[in-house]
Amino acid sequence: MTERVNRFVLCTSGDSVKVYSTRTEEWLHSLQGHTNQVTGIALNRANHLQVYSCSADGTVKLWDFIDGILIKTFIIGYPLFAIYVSEKHDGIVFLHIAMDTDSKNECFQLVAVHLPKSAEQEVEAKELSAVSSRISPNPSCTAFGREGQYIAFARHLQLNVYFFRKQKTYSFSLKATDKKGAKNAFTCIACHPADDCIATGHEDGKIRLWRNFIHTKEYTYSTQHWHHNAVNTLCFTPEGTNLLSGGIESVLVQWQYGAGNRKEFLPRLGGSILHVSTSSDGQLFCTSHSDNKITVIESSFKVCGVIQGLVKGDAVLTDLMIDPRSKALVLNGKPGHLQFYSLMRDKHLYNLDIVQQEYIYEAGLDQFEVVKAAFDINGYWLATVEERGQKSSDLEFVLKLWAYDERTQSFVLNTTITAAHTDRIISMCFSSSEETTMLVTTAEDGQFKAWCQGADADTQQDQSFWSCEFVGSYHNLKPTNCSFSADSSLLAVNFQEVITIWSPDTWELLTTLCQPPGVVRDLCFGRLSCSKYLIATTTRNLLCCWNLLTCALEWSTSVEVSKLQPDPLSENVAAFSYQSKHTDLFVFKPSEPRPLFTHKNMCSEKIHRAVFVPREEPLNNCDESSQWLNRSQLYFLTQNMDLLTFSTATEEDRMLSSSKRLVIDDSVAVTPFYLLLGKHRQQQQKLNTPSHPAADKPQQPQGSVTITELLHTPAHVLPAASVLCSMLVSSLLISNTGVRKDPLREMESSEQEMNSEKEEEHSEEEMEACDSQQELRAQGSVDEVTPKLSKAQERELKRIRKTDFSWMTGLIDSKP
Amino acid sequence: MASFKPTKVPFLPKLGEKVTEETLYWKNYKSPVQIKEFGAITKIDFSPLPPHNYAVTASTRIHIYGPHSQEPIRSFTRFRDTAYGGRFRGDGKLLVAGSEEGLIRLFDISGRVALRQFKGHTKAVHMTSFLSDGFRVVSGSDDLSCRVWDVPSAVELSSLTEHTDYIRALAPSKLNPDLFVTGSYDHTVKVFDMRSGSSVMTMQHGHPVECVLLYPSEALLVSTGGRYVKVWDLLKGGQELVSLKNHHKTVTCACLSSVGNKLLTGSLDRHVKVYNSSYKVVHNFDCDASILSMAIAPDDEALAVGMTNGVLSVRHRRHKKDKETLTSRRRRGPSYQVFVKGKNFVPRQDDFLVSKPVKQYLRKYDKQLKSFEVSKALDTALQTWTRTSKPDVTVAVIIELKRRGTLKNALAGRNEERCFCLLFFRHIFDPRFSRPLLMVGDIVLDLYQQVFHQSPVVERLLQRLMEVLGREAELQQELLQVLGILDTLFTSLTPRKEVKFWIGSCRNTDQNVKACFFQSMAR
């Protein structure tokens, strides 16, 4: 759900509301405070710098979204599913709540809540009055009419209009289908801001404009049809001249109001459009898409900004991978694309178009999807497999090899192999040696093939293409996994129960390893000092480790392993085990009998994808339990498409200590994809902090409270620079004259100061939660720079801050 | 907002020979000029001097043609019997020729009557040539002897009878006036030195030698005979360097191109093959009849091939000038200036640059696909020119329509005329296109089953399609039979003791052989 003012876009994301700038497309801050999914936001009509948000935790919160300050919390007590406000009903919000406890029926109720005006921060609002109980669960099926005179809501085939003045509900219903097979169920509603007109979107893509509904019998409607699938969202521009609509086609359609069929299109915006909203002056439109993206559009119908998070597809078919060059996380992105996502900066880098075909946004159409991808060790080659027709019998798949182009800094298609195998490719891997790159693919046709890059002597071209070098099979069994040893001198391919070891130089079958119970599910070689070990997991809950020098089974344990992931930079191997409905993590070295790290009951879903992300600089962590995270970080993806990670205690501290706007490493930042991560991290924090001594806190931002406060206060609420200037300069001057004698003594004194400051703050009744947070955070650094005299000034500054500068905002808004 | 992605026309492997620089060079000849002679052409020789006239020996006469003339500019007809081996002297002023009756005649190019006649051979003289000093003539005869004649006095200087069969090949050394090479039907190639008066080197070719040829450096010697072309290294004492077997009938003639010394051989199997420096065939000229003689002009300007049916076919090199005349005939497009107008403008420092969006140019079918006009897009792709010369485009559009799930819609609702072009699409047996096209065929049959009989044109087309399909099915069956035979052969060839994986690799080669078979069959 998005809501926007001229300069800011607000969107709900998990348990917070995020504020983005429309000009720079940057994330400014998030409004955090809800404890459950935020289900709706609505601007406060009385004060357009404030926003209401409602959440499934049963509260409505009022925020100042420019500063990111929580103003009030209204406790309703029921899970809320949507919020609406109208300018006519001041102090009243309309909410969707579930009817009774019978959640199976999905009965929802629209209630009006009178928000009590009290000075307290937390208010219980119990004055509920039901408006209607015939409400669709879809929040876009309810809308306020002209000047808040009526409210229109639809459910299934019935449109209801409730007039506040008459206190009456008129309902209009449509037939379920007609002769042409139309599906008439309502999907969304928008009301014209100045005219008595209701626009409704329908499941078959029709848009109906209802008029004259004040008289039940004489109502009329006109139908317009462009969308070929359900209309997801409708929105009138503030003047009511245009109607915007969007659906699964990913085309934003602008209908001219009252001009019949005249319309404009903005195609190929991204995933299917979920919401459209307009700014209050009608200059900007904003669409949110199913692939975790917000598009900002000018009123001249041009895209002027894109806010993109980690692209969320239906499923991650490829493994999680790390691009060895950019250290970006690579996985399925937009349909037919691979996305490169920087975990360090928590930013979407780019999408690599693999399929290179026009994507048709149509439900139920079988299109090419990237199902496998692999990087070679230098990041110079990328191999991808795209597949189409998984459901039908004729499977089409293409193996593509991409070379990295230094000039354009991206991957360029080198070779396309259309019929690499006669059946589906199951797995592929690159050799890990630096000198020669070789790709091995295994397929369901019982063969594995080795592909090599080689110049074709006959064509005499400069470019060298990939061609098949060797085709291997073993007793017509189906190969599933393949893996190269660390030095690429051995290739292990498993054929159901049998693991075969080949020499890639001579293509000689060196040996076979056989472990009767169960088909081998996962296979990997040990690294570094453990490179003589081969580890495999079977479907019969066995984790086996062979010593390749003796070709004998070194050890095996009975554990159900769903994913085996070796760390490329160390000997460690991570194994995710799924037992009795929760996942455990074991990190072990193949040479040691005891696991390095175990984490029981990590999450409740099965884990199929995981990756070790190498750190930019290794940590010096002495703590034994987290030593395995020193060189790389483990990321994993659950079945619910949540991307989680493990982090150490020191990192947590650094994250906490750094200013909230600089929290880069905080993966919770952008997307709902990362939603659970936040909670998880909190858990971890609890888990990790007890073992961690508070002594090795990293360096904290320096600077006096005054300065930090000055810097953190939004510019438009600050007094004029001339007022502040002299104060600032004087504070700086004094700080320089501050005596520094004994650091120890100063430490002590500063601690005392801290305590005293705390007390002061409490006494001052600092209302703004985030301010106090900042204070706390800044205290660590108070020691050196805190000037004695500045305290008075500090207070003065606070006072200045607290004085009401809302008149200024009026000025600011009136200017443009 | 992403832009529309046009239909991707896949790059398909081209069947047939691969295009290289060499093939392009050798392809750059115009279509041959055919000149009819009275009998089989046994010898062609280019004059070493410009304008590089050439002497053609056929039947009882020798004609001299100018480089571009269709008519002989001079002819020597004073032969009582068949003339053989007319060859120019190094200065291009004298011409020597043997004959069936054993007489050797020497002509002046400008004259008509023989200047000298060398008598002495008792049987036909097939090969004559000047030695490189220009004062002596060497001849090889069917009387097993090889004689050297003095031009001024017309006397026989020496007679060498070392061969035991007809001498049919002769090549004098250009660097040493006393050396020449002969090839004989006794399967040997001999190098004679006049100073010692005997052969200094003998090489066993293994087949009756039809032609010998010295490289300009005279370190390498080429001999042809039987189906073999052999290259000998003279500096290593006549060691065989390479033996080529690219013709399937006797190789009758060989010559060297002056650019890059590429070897060309002509054979009774009606092919001229061009070899690159590593003796791989890079190009092939096809002729109408068995080739007896061949010569290439200096600078490869013209290639003259003489055949058994008396046709002389001359191919002239195509020049850029010719191309220009071709293009000038075409309609002139806008000039270069129009396209670069304003493109190379460099803005000054304080100029405010307004960037113009680059317009995406789409093909017509892509434009129609963009606006979801599938039937129209299919029509565009099925236009006669596209479907005949660029079938890959048509097939790409069909595949794209199938991917969009609208192929059936695009095929439906066509009238007779538009259906006609669907059925006329005859790449259905091209293995690269057959799959989508068969699918189209299926859908068309499904859709129009009821109404086919209403149109005689379409019905006829359908019948033809059925015939062709039947033929293809038969062919496939035969191929499968061959495949079965091959399989049994390969399994019997594979030694049993080998490990399993070796069979895997062997099967791969097996498949390659099968693929080769398929390709050759398909051709």
Side-chain angles (χ1 to χ4, degrees), chain A residues 266-269 303 334 337 353 356-360 362 365-368 388 394 396 456 458-460 470-471 473 475 502 507-509, chain B residues 1-6 8 18-22 276 280 370 372 399-400 402-406 435 439 499-501 504-505 507-508 511:
Chain A
L266 194 58
R268 285 180 286 281
L269 289 172
V303 174
K334 273 161 51 173
H337 289 63
D353 188 0
Q356 297 185 331
Q357 275 177 339
E358 178 77 2
Y359 187 80
I360 311 292
E362 194 182 312
L365 193 61
D366 196 8
Q367 306 199 54
F368 273 107
R388 191 177 88 96
D394 51 335
E396 293 172 54
D456 202 345
D458 294 334
T459 50
Q460 292 174 347
F470 177 74
V471 182
S473 61
H475 290 289
W502 306 72
W507 291 115
E508 205 177 344
L509 178 61
Chain B
M1 190 180 81
S3 56
F4 179 79
K5 287 173 204 157
K8 195 116 182 146
K18 281 174 183 155
V19 178
T20 59
E21 245 173 68
E22 303 232 355
N276 63 8
K280 271 193 177 162
K370 191 180 170 186
F372 291 86
I399 291 172
E400 170 72 15
K402 187 184 174 240
R403 187 181 73 85
R404 292 174 170 223
T406 47
R435 234 171 171 226
M439 186 180 61
V499 207
K500 195 77 183 174
F501 72 87
S505 63
R507 195 169 291 151
N508 191 25
Q511 275 173 355

Side-chain angles (χ1 to χ4, degrees), chain B residues 131-363:
Chain B
L131 286 175
S132 60
D133 58 3
F135 306 125
R136 284 176 291 175
V137 167
V138 62
S139 62
S141 161
D142 286 357
D143 62 2
L144 317 183
S145 70
C146 197
R147 294 175 199 220
V148 182
W149 313 82
D150 185 31
V151 173
S153 58
V155 293
E156 180 186 314
L157 291 177
S158 64
S159 170
L160 307 155
T161 47
E162 289 189 21
H163 283 293
T164 55
D165 209 334
Y166 298 164
I167 298 165
R168 288 287 167 90
L170 184 74
S173 157
K174 287 211 174 65
L175 302 179
N176 190 330
D178 290 322
L179 282 180
F180 60 90
V181 186
T182 59
S184 155
Y185 277 7
D186 63 358
H187 302 186
T188 58
V189 176
K190 283 177 193 284
V191 181
F192 288 98
D193 191 348
M194 282 301 295
R195 291 164 295 196
S196 65
S198 64
S199 67
V200 290
M201 211 180 273
T202 305
M203 285 146 294
Q204 285 293 336
H205 182 80
H207 292 272
V209 180
E210 294 284 350
C211 176
V212 289
L213 186 70
L214 274 169
Y215 268 74
S217 66
E218 307 205 338
L220 296 178
L221 172 73
V222 180
S223 65
T224 71
R227 294 162 59 193
Y228 291 89
V229 177
K230 294 195 176 183
V231 183
W232 312 88
D233 194 343
L234 292 180
L235 296 182
K236 279 192 186 167
Q239 198 184 7
E240 184 184 311
L241 195 69
V242 67
S243 172
L244 307 169
K245 196 179 136 190
N246 292 97
H247 290 283
H248 55 265
K249 276 187 185 170
T250 306
V251 184
T252 52
C253 51
C255 63
L256 285 173
S257 76
S258 50
V259 178
N261 282 334
K262 300 290 184 303
L263 179 67
L264 289 87
T265 57
S267 153
L268 294 180
D269 65 1
R270 305 189 286 190
H271 292 299
V272 175
K273 307 233 170 197
V274 185
Y275 303 83
N276 63 8
S277 43
S278 54
Y279 298 106
K280 271 193 177 162
V281 176
V282 291
H283 193 62
N284 181 37
F285 293 105
D286 291 340
C287 295
D288 306 326
S290 302
I291 295 160
L292 286 180
S293 57
M294 175 178 60
I296 190 158
D299 296 330
D300 300 345
E301 282 304 310
L303 175 71
V305 178
M307 284 169 281
T308 48
N309 60 357
V311 173
L312 172 73
S313 118
V314 187
R315 286 160 214 262
H316 290 283
R317 203 159 175 74
R318 192 178 282 135
H319 286 283
K320 273 193 181 148
K321 241 187 270 167
D322 306 332
K323 263 186 193 164
E324 273 166 24
T325 55
L326 263 177
T327 50
S328 65
R329 237 175 280 152
R330 248 184 268 150
R331 193 170 57 86
R332 292 279 304 270
S335 69
Y336 177 69
Q337 256 74 26
V338 173
F339 290 110
V340 297
K341 198 174 176 183
K343 288 269 167 66
N344 44 13
F345 176 75
V346 183
R348 257 172 271 143
Q349 205 170 16
D350 47 351
D351 278 354
F352 182 72
L353 211 68
V354 180
S355 60
K356 208 173 93 181
V358 182
K359 201 182 168 191
Q360 190 191 12
Y361 287 96
L362 294 174
R363 303 244 159 228

Side-chain angles (χ1 to χ4, degrees), chain B residues 366-416:
Chain B
D366 272 334
K367 278 183 195 157
Q368 282 155 342
L369 281 176
K370 191 180 170 186
S371 50
F372 291 86
E373 294 170 316
V374 284
S375 202
K376 276 186 191 166
L378 187 62
D379 279 342
T380 316
L382 277 172
Q383 274 170 355
T384 322
W385 184 80
T386 320
R387 74 166 186 249
T388 48
S389 61
K390 282 186 178 172
D392 45 343
V393 170
T394 315
V395 172
V397 172
I398 288 174
I399 291 172
E400 170 72 15
L401 288 174
K402 187 184 174 240
R403 187 181 73 85
R404 292 174 170 223
T406 47
L407 183 58
K408 205 166 181 175
N409 302 5
L411 289 171
R414 285 165 179 270
N415 56 19
E416 185 184 281

